[in-house]
Each structure stands twice: as C-alpha cells, then as structure tokens.
Amino acid sequence: MNDAILVTISHNPTGTVITVTGELDMDTCPALRQAITTAAATQAPLYLHLAGVPFMEVIALRLLLDLHRDFQQRAVLLDITGFQRQPTRLLTLTASRHLLRRARPAQAAPHPVSVQLRSPSSLAGARIAAVAPYRC
C-alpha cells in the first residue's frame, strides 16, 4: 500500500512511548519492527500508540502478536492502544483482539496521576478524587 510510516519514539520515567502514523503492511512492518526492537532494548514498559494507523494488513497483526509474546516472555509490559476502525475489524475477524489486551499496572501508568489530599480532620464528609490529565 504505502511505503512510508512515521514512528516517533519518546522516553519518559514510566517507559518508552512509540507513536505510529501510516499504514502497516508488508513494506512498512520491517521498519516498525526495527524501531520497536531498538526502543525495547531495556526492560522499561513500552506503550505502542496506533491511533495514526488507519490500515493494517495481517502481517502487522502477526508482528503485534509476536511482540506481545516476546514481551510476555521477558515479563515486560507492552501496552498497545489506539486501534482505528479497520485494524479493530481485523482483530475481531481473526479473533485475536483479546490476545493483545494487557492490564496496565498502576506503577506503570504512562501519565502521572495527581491526587489532592486533605488533612484527616477536614475529610469528614469530603470526597477525595484522583484526577488524570486529559488524553486524546
């Protein structure tokens, strides 16, 4: 299909974030695999955001399943999010959607959570709320 993808890699204290833009097919999957392999050289959690991927071939599904298996064997968190309509349909048709679900441990959240605490005497009847930053 398309012979170019944009892969953005950023490192933060909670792990590595890889954002992908473009179609994932036979021509682009090797570049994505190389980027992920390079970024995943550490034991840090990896967050793979695919919101910019409108189309995904079966070879990309195989790549994601292989990555998922590899990360499970290494006991490292791999969180894949942002599936658009066609990739979601591919996952559904191949009955593999459930294979890529992964619970996100609280200590590995990709965004900081701020909690407003009050003194114990002021808590009578008060509600304490955790507020997460807005994400698209």
Side-chain angles (χ1 to χ4, degrees):
M1 294 262 162
N2 188 358
D3 61 351
I5 58 171
L6 175 64
V7 179
T8 306
I9 302 172
S10 61
H11 302 278
N12 62 50
T14 60
T16 301
V17 178
I18 298 179
T19 305
V20 183
T21 304
E23 296 179 353
L24 294 179
D25 55 30
M26 211 166 81
D27 297 325
T28 60
C29 278
L32 178 59
R33 180 183 294 276
Q34 181 60 41
I36 291 171
T37 301
T38 302
T42 67
Q43 289 292 104
L46 188 118
Y47 302 95
L48 181 60
H49 296 288
L50 301 177
V53 177
F55 178 81
M56 186 170 88
E57 286 183 357
V58 174
I59 192 169
L61 174 59
R62 175 63 188 257
L63 169 64
L64 296 179
L65 291 172
D66 287 349
L67 288 170
H68 181 71
R69 184 194 67 238
D70 294 347
F71 274 70
Q72 263 189 330
Q73 289 174 348
R74 292 175 34 208
V76 176
L77 174 72
L78 172 65
D79 188 16
I80 305 171
T81 59
F83 289 106
Q84 287 194 29
R85 185 176 180 184
Q86 186 276 335
T88 298
R89 180 111 171 103
L90 176 63
L91 294 175
T92 303
L93 288 172
T94 58
S96 52
R97 186 175 183 148
H98 70 284
L99 297 174
L100 297 177
R101 288 189 183 150
R102 181 85 177 233
R104 183 180 299 158
Q107 70 272 18
H111 298 286
V113 175
S114 59
V115 179
Q116 183 179 20
L117 297 176
R118 299 179 183 162
S119 66
S121 61
S122 66
L123 292 178
R127 294 190 325 194
I128 299 175
V131 181
Y134 175 77
R135 297 187 337 182
C136 295

